[in-house]
């Protein structure tokens, strides 16, 4: 509806919108939408992170895609939903918390909007919850490879008060991948000391 | 205590306060307090929304009423508590999330303070959680009736990071009611596609 | 890593950091760190409160200590961890919520940083969740003893949207202790009316 679009501040050129909404997870959804905007005729209108309770210490998300045609908005959401299986591949959890890793060789508009990732460059992120694990992961990651540390989010800054520390990395593909892999190693190890062996429900892709 | 009142910024004329505090629910409490201030000699001092964990994706609340006499403050809370059974009537939940609808033919000071509702006019709201359901509900509502869309709250704006989208409507009584009923239809349907049939614990009043 | 320290705004003089991270609890951790900075060669760099879901209506926390030597940072964390058993002593919970009391005869840098407590003076706090219980606790506390009410946190102000009201007291040791003991009495009583008898997992220390 035009009244709704105007209230939400959407550009009127988007005659259709696509909605991706989740109780659990934000990183996987943003990375999946990043692929969707590369592959379809859609743009990212907004990305919001909820402090939901289903995901334990982490976020839920609400992502709005804009398109001029209904078929494009639908296609964008289809591509994103399909890619979610991949982007949940490096989320490891146990009763004590969770860690998450994401990597793309070429960041697009969703990663740019959500994380300030330079478009077209390799981008990675690591999440640790409880937050102290995230501090150790980011520290190990930036020591292990020559990456640009774009930013750090923590319970009071850049998150919706989630119990996470999140690091964002840009740079050469090999270096970003190395940083993320190092963060995964230290994160799985630390989270494992607080509970059972952290498991992913999917297939690691990084 | 006067020190406490001063620290909280309460007008000293309120010699008594009434407290309505909840782990689960904010809309039902605000609408119930709206009836209470119409019916008793009390005023709304403050309305705060907690991002509690008991209500899944939604809010808890803390509402403070002021009164010059202890008996008035007590009466205000009694009226609100009694009305809660009604205002929880259109809250529908399942394991995937919840939706909520509220309607009043004549908004008073609580709805004005919390939502910017024009006093004396019909007012309604619809809540959808996860947030994507709320977007669809608001869209359907404003398309179905000639109402003023007063505002929209979402995980990052106007909520306490809850995983909800909330629409606020004002206008003629018939139109506002129609908008809310439409939002309820679409909300129950969408939430039902994500889990079991959404149920209310009470009796729908709208 | 220096890049990480710079991004986080840490003074470069801190060559080592200690990390105290928790899913459940903030007050106990801050009071324990307060003892740690008194007893060791460490300083408090940052204190952040997460709106975690493990602690029901309350906070998790992330506290960073800085030290010039690794051994000092480690010692600081060891002292804090050991003191946590004590500082969890006055946390009482049931299914309806929780209350928490803290007291120190001489506040140090952690209480100063987190709560604005004057250094070297007696300091106490009381937490009530759901928030309405906290209002009653603070009111009873300031009526019971001649203390300075340093501040009040509530769902929308000073908390990370937790469903708590928290009062902070400074003053003479006897008065502060009296205020906190009074808050405990009223808090246990009120929380008990909403559910089973509130219990502590530890040993009350106040």
């Amino acid at each position: 509806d035009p009244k709704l679009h105007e209230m939400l501040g959407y550009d009127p050129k988007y005659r259709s919108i696509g909605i991706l909404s989740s109780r659990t997870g934000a990183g996987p959804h943003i990375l999946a939408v990043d692929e969707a905007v590369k592959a379809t005729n859609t743009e990212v209108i907004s990305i919001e992170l909820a402090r939901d309770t289903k995901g334990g210490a982490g976020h839920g998300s609400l992502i709005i895609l804009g398109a001029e045609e209904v078929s494009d908005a639908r296609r964008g959401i289809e591509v994103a939903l399909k890619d979610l299986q991949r982007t949940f591949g490096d989320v490891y959890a146990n009763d004590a918390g969770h860690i998450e890793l994401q990597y793309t060789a070429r960041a697009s508009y969703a990663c740019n909007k959500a994380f300030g990732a330079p478009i077209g460059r390799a981008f990675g992120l690591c999440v640790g919850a409880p937050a102290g694990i995230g501090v150790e992961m980011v520290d190990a990651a930036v020591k292990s490879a020559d990456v640009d540390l774009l930013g750090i989010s923590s319970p009071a800054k850049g998150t919706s008060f989630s119990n996470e520390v999140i690091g964002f990395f840009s740079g050469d593909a090999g270096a970003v991948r190395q940083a993320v892999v190092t963060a995964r190693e230290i994160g799985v190890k630390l989270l494992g000391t607080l509970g059972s062996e952290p498991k992913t429900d999917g297939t690691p892709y990084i």
Side-chain angles (χ1 to χ4, degrees), chain A:
Chain A
D1 188 272
K3 272 188 291 190
L4 177 62
H5 283 219
E6 187 191 330
M7 178 69 72
L8 291 167
Y10 298 173
D11 191 318
K13 80 176 175 185
Y14 300 123
R15 291 195 312 224
S16 295
I17 65 164
I19 302 167
L20 190 64
S21 174
S22 160
R23 294 290 306 272
T24 305
H29 300 78
I30 296 167
L31 270 283
V33 165
D34 209 55
E35 294 306 309
V37 295
K38 284 180 200 169
T40 63
N41 198 14
T42 55
E43 297 180 32
V44 182
I45 293 182
S46 70
I47 297 172
E48 299 190 24
L49 307 190
R51 181 66 273 277
D52 204 325
T53 57
K54 272 214 169 170
H59 287 110
S61 52
L62 173 66
I63 303 175
I64 308 286
L65 290 181
E68 296 188 32
E69 303 298 332
V70 151
S71 57
D72 289 330
R74 179 174 294 128
R75 181 84 189 115
I77 294 298
E78 283 170 0
V79 170
L81 285 174
K82 205 170 167 187
D83 199 39
L84 272 181
Q85 198 174 0
R86 180 182 67 86
T87 58
F88 264 108
D90 284 285
V91 177
Y92 302 81
N94 65 13
D95 184 56
H98 66 269
I99 68 162
E100 174 188 343
L101 298 309
Q102 300 291 350
Y103 170 78
T104 174
R106 196 169 65 83
S108 188
Y109 296 95
C111 288
N112 177 260
K113 191 164 201 105
F115 311 124
I119 288 168
R121 293 199 76 194
F123 170 77
L125 66 80
C126 68
V127 179
I133 290 179
V135 178
E136 301 276 10
M137 289 169 68
V138 177
D139 187 54
V142 296
K143 278 174 176 155
S144 75
D146 183 23
V147 291
D148 292 334
L149 181 60
L150 296 173
I152 296 174
S153 293
S154 59
K157 293 169 212 146
T159 68
S160 298
F161 296 140
S162 69
N163 201 338
E164 300 172 312
V165 160
I166 311 172
F168 307 104
F169 316 108
S170 185
D172 291 336
V176 171
R177 175 183 279 272
Q178 178 59 48
V180 169
V181 167
T182 302
R184 180 172 61 193
E185 280 166 16
I186 190 97
V188 167
K189 196 175 129 196
L190 286 172
L191 187 58
T193 64
L194 301 180
S196 58
E197 194 193 337
K199 300 273 189 193
T200 171
D201 286 339
T203 307
Y205 76 93
I206 303 171

